Amino acid sequence: MVLSHVFAAASLAAVAAASPLQVFARQNASSPCAQVSAEVVTQTAVATPTVAAKLAYDCITSVPLNQSAALKLLDGVAPYFRWQSNTVWLKDPPADYAEKVQPAIDIWAGLEDIKSKVEDGEYSNEFDFGFALYTLMQQTHDGHFVFIPDSVGSIFNYARPVPLVSVSEDGKELPKPFVYPDILAESFGNASFAPSAITKINGEDALEYLEKWAQFGSLQDRDALYNNVFYELATVSLGPTGSGIGTFAGSGRGRWVYPGPETELEFENGTTATYTNYAKVLVPFTGITDGESLYQKYFTGMLATQTTSADPTNSTTPTPSATPSTTSIPAPGYPPAIFKESHNLIGGYYLEDDYSDIAVLSVPSFVSLEEAEIPFQQVGEKFLAAAKAAGKKKLVIDVSANGGGTILQGYDLYKQLFPQGIGHAAADRFRAFEETDLLGQYFSRTSEQVPRVYFEDPEQNETLWALEYDVVSSVFNYQTDVDVNEKNFPNWPAKFGPFEQKSDNFSNLFRWNLSDVLTPFNSGGIYIHGYGNLTNFTQPFAAEDIVVVTDGYCASTCTIFSELMRQRAGVKYISLGGRAKEGITQAVGGVKGTNNLPWTYIQALTQFTITNLTASEEEAAKLNTTSLVEYWDNTVFQRMAPGSSINVNFRDGIRDGDEDEVPLQFVYEPADCRILYTKEMTVDVTAIWKAVADSAWGGQSKCVAGELGGGYKQRKVRREQTVQDKVLSKRMHQWRRDLSAANYPLDVYTDLRGANLDANGIMWP
Ligand SMILES: *[C@@H]1O[C@H](CO)[C@@H](O)[C@H](O)[C@H]1NC(C)=O
Ligand SMILES: *[C@@H]1O[C@H](CO)[C@@H](O)[C@H](O)[C@H]1NC(C)=O
Ligand SMILES: *[C@@H]1O[C@H](CO)[C@@H](O)[C@H](O)[C@H]1NC(C)=O
Ligand SMILES: *[C@@H]1O[C@H](CO)[C@@H](O)[C@H](O)[C@H]1NC(C)=O
Ligand SMILES: *[C@@H]1O[C@H](CO)[C@@H](O)[C@H](O)[C@H]1NC(C)=O
Ligand SMILES: *[C@@H]1O[C@H](CO)[C@@H](O)[C@H](O)[C@H]1NC(C)=O
Ligand SMILES: *[C@@H]1O[C@H](CO)[C@@H](O)[C@H](O)[C@H]1NC(C)=O
Ligand SMILES: *[C@@H]1O[C@H](CO)[C@@H](O)[C@H](O)[C@H]1NC(C)=O
Ligand SMILES: *[C@@H]1O[C@H](CO)[C@@H](O)[C@H](O)[C@H]1NC(C)=O
Ligand SMILES: *[C@@H]1O[C@H](CO)[C@@H](O)[C@H](O)[C@H]1NC(C)=O
Ligand SMILES: *[C@@H]1O[C@H](CO)[C@@H](O)[C@H](O)[C@H]1NC(C)=O
Ligand SMILES: *[C@@H]1O[C@H](CO)[C@@H](O)[C@H](O)[C@H]1NC(C)=O
């Protein structure tokens, strides 16, 4: 589907920074919010002021609950909940999922429960209400199903001053948690320094504490959630659009969870360390005297600007680019690249010496920046060609930290690797209900009146261009996709169905038509390898010469890519890290829904259908009496935190041949091999890639569960070194010698304010 210019959504105004010139209002020092205000005013030199976590929490929980506004917000979210594809599966998941992954959750009952608690006065403040609503959605562990109320995300982000890592001493023993700066000190400082593992956190068994904390994350898989607690090189390389230094330290979903006033760590060596937790203050506190004034200033719809102004008539509105689109996001622990996209979204690397036959494609994203779409594809193309030309024999693909991005980039990367490969992943479907039916009818009717044509320059015919972009190329036009027999649908009812399952209704199964002339409108501008004029390609590596490694944080488009790589091409997958438990883990631990829709986009679609796809005012008025009338209200957009992604999971993925049609989200899939993190892997990413190569192609397998070796020929470890190999070797050794603890930032926090949150296959951190 198109997240088009016309519906350019989610472009929230950046929150103004505190102005040092503003007059400091008289404060009531006995109220926590007044104290925050007083402390913020002394920090004019810093971009983001901070206060003690407890003070922030006392302030936010002093905001009184406005009962009528809370009920209005609950009414406002309900229409968007209807778009969530897997409600009945969340409520009644397969036993395997409930046992190994996450328990059942009934979102409609949960919403009712919150409503009756509001009515009964059971929430003592606005934050407790907001956090209950946030948690209802977060507990689905469907990373596409998200709403962040203002009370949860607008005012404060929480943090701990110390990131952790979880590492195995020797790659075989179960991992233990460590303070990351200790590992850095050991790696780069004092050879004699021996970091001691953490045994207790706030008096509780450390492993139990961390597993519980991990559950605040957005992924479904518990081992992937566990990894996301910690500092990771791949997430850090994404800067503020990734989950940074881990949820424990306040990145990713950790930023919205109050960690308590302090964090006390007890170590194996018997010592303890106590850290004061803090909160980042995201808005000016000028004039705030108490919880009530905080409410008046920030919870009455003034903060989030009118996102739905997404003016459907303004086809030329450029998508705002993300604040973090700087060209200098550090990627500590990554060696010099052969080719790299400038935001580190994709990079190609070679390994040295005994590993000089190995090429590595690191892909921590499938693109969330418009300006990166074409460069992303080009890095893949150029690197694969260069690796072949340089005589590389094996390819490691690292998709750690990959929350997805643009769906068709996932298809394209697979088709770059397997140009002759089958061109569909799982089949898609969506909930079949009144709104999706109406949209389909109107989008399809309009589309039937124009040819399906692509042209790049809107000025050639602006009206037609806008129609093609917004309507004709949409999933709500039945001509856009194909059925499971690769045939076009004859009409909208054939695509819509509905088909009943578990007392809910779903559309027919459908697939992307990768030869579609309108592909660039759905792909951010790229064509797909293997289609159109991109057909003369040879497969660069055999499937058994490729292996994919993940940290479990592989979501959305990354899971589509993985379905293609595993099911179509038979490529093996390795999972890293995981809980301190024996056994195999899943490699793909993030949402496996195949398309998210921002609520802003849903609103724009419904309004646009009424105002622009009807033939007369009478018809519009009539359509405005259907369920589409429920999307005019702006409460949810006024009460969402700025810079948050509010989404539903729109499409389920249904694997070919699955007669039970279980959405992939609920299918448990162990990796082929599990490798534990070592200390070295937390400072030098090539240690991961070498362990992968050893495990996949001879050398010494590092798999602690599963295995890859069977059937593969022994890797010829040492090939004759070319001149280029020797140059690279020198460069790699120099790079490693130059590393120091100072290269590893300890303050990479998730911040999506100002980012363009429009991607169509992404789980935002
Ligand atoms: C100061 O704040 C406290 C606690 O919120 C409140 O009880 C008191 O009435 C306030 N005093 C003034 C002068 O506003
Ligand atoms: C509570 O919210 C309603 C809107 O639902 C608003 O009209 C009213 O002014 C708010 N009350 C306070 C005290 O802010
Ligand atoms: C070496 O270790 C000692 C004791 O832990 C510490 O005081 C010192 O700062 C360390 N030196 C460096 C260079 O890290
Ligand atoms: C014990 O281990 C912790 C964590 O690595 C370290 O900070 C501390 O200096 C160690 N204490 C002693 C006495 O070795
Ligand atoms: C949509 O409808 C509005 C009002 O009816 C009109 O002004 C606008 O031009 C239409 N936009 C498009 C893209 O057709
Ligand atoms: C369309 O968007 C552009 C860029 O944001 C803006 O400058 C222009 O004023 C908008 N036009 C209308 C009619 O809203
Ligand atoms: C633009 O496209 C529409 C729809 O095909 C057509 O009716 C119209 O004549 C075109 N306008 C121009 C200026 O070519
Ligand atoms: C499913 O669709 C059928 C046909 O439109 C309808 O009769 C039935 O009530 C729907 N079921 C649900 C649970 O919405
Ligand atoms: C796919 O799209 C192309 C171009 O828009 C079209 O010619 C073709 O009929 C579509 N369907 C199939 C099954 O390829
Ligand atoms: C493929 O077609 C597109 C659109 O016509 C064009 O921009 C691109 O240069 C072509 N690529 C090749 C390799 O011919
Ligand atoms: C396809 O590729 C082969 C080998 O690279 C080349 O010889 C041939 O000219 C290409 N054909 C076309 C139509 O581009
Ligand atoms: C549709 O109905 C809503 C609610 O009555 C109203 O606010 C809106 O302006 C109407 N829109 C149109 C285009 O009729």
Side-chain angles (χ1 to χ4, degrees):
M1 57 105 254
V2 194
L3 286 185
S4 72
H5 290 99
V6 169
F7 299 132
S11 57
L12 291 164
V15 177
S19 160
L21 299 176
Q22 275 169 314
V23 181
F24 181 34
R26 277 190 53 207
Q27 307 293 341
N28 177 347
S30 60
S31 100
C33 290
Q35 272 185 57
V36 172
S37 186
E39 292 190 22
V40 163
V41 88
T42 65
Q43 301 177 52
T44 48
V46 296
T48 309
T50 59
V51 296
K54 178 165 191 310
L55 180 61
Y57 187 71
D58 288 347
C59 166
I60 199 76
T61 53
S62 75
V63 175
L65 178 74
N66 181 336
Q67 190 190 48
S68 69
L71 292 172
K72 199 165 167 234
L73 176 56
L74 293 174
D75 286 346
V77 302
Y80 298 95
F81 274 38
R82 295 204 284 263
W83 292 70
Q84 176 67 19
S85 65
N86 57 14
T87 323
V88 289
W89 284 91
L90 287 167
K91 186 177 167 185
D92 179 29
D96 204 28
Y97 177 89
E99 183 201 325
K100 293 183 185 150
V101 187
Q102 296 292 341
I105 178 165
D106 181 342
I107 61 165
W108 288 108
L111 196 62
E112 275 310 305
D113 181 52
I114 293 172
K115 195 170 174 186
S116 46
K117 284 184 174 147
V118 170
E119 284 164 345
D120 299 346
E122 286 186 40
Y123 295 110
S124 48
N125 58 70
E126 190 65 41
F127 175 80
D128 285 358
F129 159 68
F131 199 69
L133 180 56
Y134 166 69
T135 306
L136 171 65
M137 302 178 75
Q138 182 271 330
Q139 280 179 345
T140 64
H141 289 276
D142 178 322
H144 283 163
F145 189 46
V146 192
F147 178 74
I148 321 293
D150 44 18
S151 59
V152 174
S154 292
I155 313 296
F156 300 115
N157 277 352
Y158 296 103
R160 288 183 169 102
V162 58
L164 309 183
V165 287
S166 167
V167 292
S168 163
E169 282 293 347
D170 57 0
K172 295 259 180 294
E173 261 180 52
L174 289 177
K176 291 176 179 176
F178 289 85
V179 165
Y180 186 54
D182 283 359
I183 303 295
L184 287 175
E186 183 186 36
S187 305
F188 300 110
N190 246 308
S192 63
F193 183 83
S196 184
I198 300 163
T199 52
K200 287 192 170 164
I201 300 176
N202 294 345
E204 198 179 332
D205 175 78
L207 299 181
E208 281 170 26
Y209 185 95
L210 292 169
E211 280 189 37
K212 270 194 241 164
W213 183 265
Q215 278 285 88
F216 288 117
S218 59
L219 304 150
Q220 69 274 12
D221 178 77
R222 289 182 189 248
D223 294 292
L225 282 163
Y226 195 72
N227 287 342
N228 196 218
V229 168
F230 304 104
Y231 191 103
E232 223 191 275
L233 298 175
T235 56
V236 168
S237 79
L238 292 173
T241 61
S243 58
I245 59 174
T247 63
F248 184 81
S251 280
R253 295 293 190 96
R255 68 198 191 275
W256 296 316
V257 185
Y258 173 52
E262 292 178 334
T263 303
E264 188 192 84
L265 303 180
E266 196 174 317
F267 299 98
E268 259 175 15
N269 66 10
T271 62
T272 59
T274 304
Y275 302 85
T276 303
N277 302 326
Y278 67 98
K280 281 169 279 182
V281 183
L282 306 177
V283 293
F285 259 66
T286 318
I288 304 296
T289 52
D290 53 13
E292 169 62 24
S293 54
L294 193 67
Y295 181 89
Q296 290 306 334
K297 187 156 182 188
Y298 292 123
F299 297 79
T300 52
M302 302 307 288
L303 191 54
T305 41
Q306 187 44 285
T307 56
T308 49
S309 61
D311 175 4
T313 64
N314 194 347
S315 296
T316 55
T317 307
T319 329
S321 63
T323 311
S325 74
T326 82
T327 49
S328 58
I329 296 167
Y334 280 76
I338 308 302
F339 292 104
K340 190 169 79 71
E341 192 280 328
S342 65
H343 312 84
N344 305 331
L345 304 184
I346 186 170
Y349 303 85
Y350 297 153
L351 297 179
E352 76 282 15
D353 303 337
D354 285 356
Y355 298 87
S356 58
D357 58 338
I358 309 281
V360 181
L361 193 57
S362 162
V363 193
S365 169
F366 276 108
V367 193
S368 52
L369 288 168
E370 195 169 286
E371 70 264 30
E373 300 279 7
I374 288 167
F376 181 94
Q377 182 185 46
Q378 287 172 345
V379 167
E381 282 172 356
K382 286 191 287 192
F383 178 69
L384 291 173
K388 282 307 282 181
K392 304 297 169 185
K393 300 283 182 257
K394 311 283 182 189
L395 179 67
V396 172
I397 301 178
D398 185 347
V399 292
S400 294
N402 194 318
T406 302
I407 294 165
L408 291 176
Q409 289 279 8
Y411 277 91
D412 183 68
L413 185 57
Y414 156 75
K415 291 292 287 188
Q416 286 192 38
L417 293 160
F418 298 100
Q420 279 78 43
I422 291 171
H424 66 269
D428 291 344
R429 71 173 189 198
F430 51 81
R431 264 201 84 221
F433 63 115
E434 188 179 359
E435 285 90 317
T436 49
D437 193 12
L438 288 168
L439 260 50
Q441 289 175 31
Y442 283 83
F443 272 64
S444 295
R445 185 182 76 178
T446 301
S447 302
E448 280 169 349
Q449 293 155 19
V450 289
R452 193 177 185 88
V453 290
Y454 175 72
F455 50 100
E456 213 167 321
D457 182 8
E459 280 178 21
Q460 210 175 308
N461 185 333
E462 298 220 9
T463 318
L464 184 59
W465 189 89
L467 267 180
E468 299 290 338
Y469 201 129
D470 298 319
V471 181
V472 181
S473 64
S474 165
V475 69
F476 294 108
N477 170 14
Y478 65 88
Q479 298 174 67
T480 294
D481 315 274
V482 295
D483 68 13
V484 292
N485 303 310
E486 304 284 333
K487 297 273 187 302
N488 289 102
F489 290 104
N491 49 44
W492 172 253
K495 181 169 178 181
F496 179 75
F499 296 87
E500 204 162 334
Q501 187 189 43
K502 276 185 182 281
S503 308
D504 200 359
N505 279 331
F506 298 92
S507 72
N508 207 337
L509 299 178
F510 58 93
R511 297 172 179 167
W512 288 93
N513 175 3
L514 299 178
S515 347
D516 186 6
V517 292
L518 296 183
T519 290
F521 285 161
N522 280 314
S523 70
I526 64 159
Y527 289 90
I528 312 296
H529 283 75
Y531 300 90
N533 60 3
L534 294 181
T535 45
N536 199 19
F537 291 92
T538 43
Q539 181 178 326
F541 293 94
E544 62 267 27
D545 291 331
I546 304 176
V547 68
V548 182
V549 61
T550 92
D551 60 353
Y553 197 107
C554 172
S556 200
T557 297
C558 182
T559 75
I560 297 173
F561 173 73
S562 298
E563 180 75 2
L564 290 162
M565 294 294 280
R566 292 185 93 175
Q567 298 297 319
R568 300 288 171 252
V571 169
K572 301 285 192 216
Y573 264 62
I574 295 177
S575 57
L576 291 166
R579 290 170 292 174
K581 291 182 160 60
E582 307 281 351
I584 196 72
T585 54
Q586 295 195 95
V588 178
V591 58
K592 297 187 203 165
T594 49
N595 176 210
N596 61 289
L597 288 192
W599 295 14
T600 43
Y601 181 65
I602 293 173
Q603 190 194 41
L605 282 173
T606 55
Q607 296 184 353
F608 179 79
T609 303
I610 295 171
T611 56
N612 290 68
L613 300 182
T614 44
S616 63
E617 278 187 23
E618 294 69 39
E619 196 187 1
K622 188 155 169 260
L623 194 54
N624 204 22
T625 62
T626 66
S627 56
L628 297 187
V629 76
E630 293 176 52
Y631 298 84
W632 293 96
D633 185 76
N634 287 322
T635 305
V636 294
F637 306 106
Q638 291 159 350
R639 299 295 313 269
M640 68 184 267
S644 63
S645 74
I646 59 173
N647 278 293
V648 291
N649 185 67
F650 178 61
R651 301 188 201 194
D652 289 329
I654 306 291
R655 180 167 291 165
D656 281 17
D658 177 5
E659 297 192 348
D660 296 333
E661 300 196 350
V662 183
L664 283 175
Q665 172 73 358
F666 300 96
V667 177
Y668 183 87
E669 297 174 272
D672 300 296
C673 151
R674 176 187 180 194
I675 294 178
L676 300 177
Y677 284 109
T678 59
K679 289 175 183 172
E680 194 186 1
M681 292 177 191
T682 71
V683 295
D684 178 353
V685 72
T686 67
I688 294 176
W689 300 338
K690 288 173 181 173
V692 166
D694 285 344
S695 306
W697 301 298
Q700 205 184 348
S701 174
K702 303 292 192 293
C703 305
V704 292
E707 49 111 5
L708 299 168
Y712 291 154
K713 282 196 215 84
Q714 194 69 5
R715 186 163 77 88
K716 190 170 147 254
V717 174
R718 201 175 268 283
R719 69 168 190 174
E720 199 160 329
Q721 300 282 297
T722 64
V723 174
Q724 289 86 345
D725 287 345
K726 287 178 189 152
V727 170
L728 180 95
S729 171
K730 236 178 131 177
R731 190 151 61 118
M732 294 292 272
H733 289 283
Q734 186 61 45
W735 163 72
R736 227 167 261 123
R737 275 195 300 276
D738 289 346
L739 286 176
S740 78
N743 293 130
Y744 298 80
L746 301 177
D747 61 349
V748 179
Y749 294 109
T750 308
D751 187 356
L752 302 175
R753 288 174 297 169
N756 165 22
L757 300 171
D758 280 3
N760 60 6
I762 195 164
M763 178 189 77
W764 290 101

